[in-house]
Amino acid sequence: MTYRRAVIPALIGGVLLAALLWWAGASAHALQLPGTNGVLGGRVAAEFERWLTPWSYDPPASVQSGALGNAAGTDYSALYATALQIRFGAVFAFFVPGALLLVRRLPPVRGRTTAALLALWAWGLVAGTLAVTVSAPWLIASQGHGSYRFLPQLASAISSGRQILVVTALVAAAGTVLAARVTAKGAGPLPQEDVPARAARLAATAGTVVIALSLVVLSYQSVAAAIQTGFTGSGLFAEPGDLLRQWLLLGAWAGPAGAPLGDWLLYRAADALLLVVVWWSLRKLPALLTRVTVPAMAAGAVCATVLGLLASQLLRVVMDGTGLRWDLMYLSAGIGGGVPAALTFGLFAGVVAAVMLRAAMGRAADADATASVEGHVGA
């Protein structure tokens, strides 16, 4: 798909995602109405409010009053509003370039619609997480204590508001796909590279090994604890371990000490599912792309890792007995987590997969050329 045809769906998706998040945040105050608790229940209403508060322009009480008293409250409220303006603008700014790349290289036509929808859904989560990250310093400062344990506060802010992103990103992805299908009508046949199956498998395996580094090695309990507690300091940037955990760990697991081996293996099935989703996605991605480039493979690997995370988190919900009672507190606890780590290692995995793919395809081409020359000589 050409740049001109792809830019309109990307812009529509960015506007739709920002508008949906704004609408969700604007609805947060409705959960405080007296009738809401009677309809939803106090616990459910409180949980929904926790989902929506990071996207709401209504500042919390601590911001309204100001850390130094009511006289400074107006300044803190203005700073909070600035943080939300940056957040919604950043959602649009981060979503559009990624969506533009995905729509161009993975247009939702001729058998690619489902893949494009899933990739755009995952990219919506990444864009929302990055928007929360870049706007977090203003939000922390609006609380009046930004100089105290800034990095742990930043890590906490990054992990907020992710549950509603799962829903809004899916709707925005669907809107982007529909717009892309409309703009693609009448377009000629799309180019597609011929990727040998063996080269695609090697590239997928190499990329999955990178993801496994975070999931299997760094996320192991003792290693994760060393990451979180091994870097200490004082002052503004004290205790960076919480932030490192956000950006390096895809999960957390420990050995079966004190637990039956069967139960331990059952819960590790979710981690195995993540790796399977990543490998399968990277295996199919080169054949789906109109042109295999490093940026396209990197973006695809990030999306594959985010999708693997969502699949593993949903599997954990199904495996846990309490999750079957649809306890909202439980269901939302881990959904949408791990996106910063997925972005970090997904980018590395995509680059490694692209390099491995090019090398394997080059060797295959050289082998074919050698065989062709030997065949002519023998004839």
Side-chain angles (χ1 to χ4, degrees):
M1 182 179 290
T2 63
Y3 177 86
R4 183 174 296 179
R5 289 179 181 270
V7 70
I8 295 177
L11 291 173
I12 290 174
V15 171
L16 185 58
L17 179 58
L20 287 170
L21 289 170
W22 177 87
W23 173 79
S27 304
H29 70 279
L31 297 170
Q32 301 175 0
L33 298 176
T36 304
N37 288 340
V39 175
L40 298 178
R43 186 179 180 182
V44 174
E47 183 64 18
F48 271 124
E49 187 175 1
R50 186 176 70 85
W51 284 21
L52 302 180
T53 296
W55 303 97
S56 173
Y57 269 93
D58 295 331
S62 61
V63 175
Q64 291 176 356
S65 61
L68 303 177
N70 290 329
T74 302
D75 294 334
Y76 284 109
S77 296
L79 194 58
Y80 182 88
T82 300
L84 268 295
Q85 292 168 4
I86 294 173
R87 180 163 295 186
F88 287 110
V91 166
F92 177 84
F94 282 119
F95 181 83
V96 171
L100 179 60
L101 176 63
L102 291 171
V103 171
R104 288 191 67 195
R105 299 302 180 209
L106 190 62
V109 294
R110 293 180 177 87
R112 297 182 173 98
T113 302
T114 302
L117 176 64
L118 293 175
L120 289 166
W121 180 26
W123 186 254
L125 268 71
V126 173
T129 302
L130 290 175
V132 170
T133 302
V134 299
S135 61
W138 285 266
L139 198 66
I140 294 170
S142 71
Q143 304 289 332
H145 45 78
S147 61
Y148 175 70
R149 290 169 55 86
F150 176 76
L151 293 182
Q153 289 187 77
L154 181 60
S156 177
I158 291 172
S159 64
S160 65
R162 63 177 185 262
Q163 292 88 357
I164 194 64
L165 266 174
V166 176
V167 180
T168 55
L170 179 59
V171 178
T176 307
V177 166
L178 289 176
R181 289 183 66 88
V182 171
T183 57
K185 286 185 177 180
L190 298 174
Q192 185 172 348
E193 291 195 32
D194 184 17
V195 180
R198 185 173 181 273
R201 288 194 296 267
L202 287 173
T205 302
T208 306
V209 168
V210 176
I211 302 301
L213 174 65
S214 172
L215 182 65
V216 178
V217 179
L218 299 182
S219 296
Y220 184 64
Q221 189 177 58
S222 60
V223 180
I227 291 174
Q228 191 164 8
T229 61
F231 302 89
T232 58
S234 61
L236 181 63
F237 298 108
E239 302 179 22
D242 291 341
L243 187 60
L244 287 174
R245 185 182 182 90
Q246 286 282 339
W247 291 94
L248 296 180
L249 307 185
L250 286 175
W253 65 282
L261 180 60
D263 293 345
W264 181 83
L265 290 174
L266 184 63
Y267 276 90
R268 297 285 69 76
D271 297 332
L273 177 62
L274 192 159
L275 294 177
V276 168
V277 170
V278 170
W279 187 90
W280 183 257
S281 301
L282 293 179
R283 165 68 178 83
K284 294 295 184 180
L285 183 61
L288 293 173
L289 295 174
T290 56
R291 183 184 174 191
V292 180
T293 62
V294 172
M297 289 292 293
V302 170
C303 295
T305 309
V306 173
L307 291 173
L309 275 172
L310 291 175
S312 65
Q313 291 159 1
L314 292 175
L315 180 59
R316 284 194 175 94
V317 169
V318 173
M319 290 190 302
D320 195 298
T322 59
L324 297 179
R325 293 197 291 268
W326 300 103
D327 187 318
L328 188 62
M329 294 286 289
Y330 174 81
L331 287 173
S332 65
I335 299 297
V339 174
L343 173 63
T344 303
F345 284 90
L347 288 174
F348 283 114
V351 172
V352 170
V355 172
M356 181 64 71
L357 182 65
R358 287 300 182 186
M361 291 176 64
R363 289 195 299 267
D366 291 341
D368 291 342
T370 301
S372 177
V373 171
E374 291 177 350
H376 284 296
V377 172

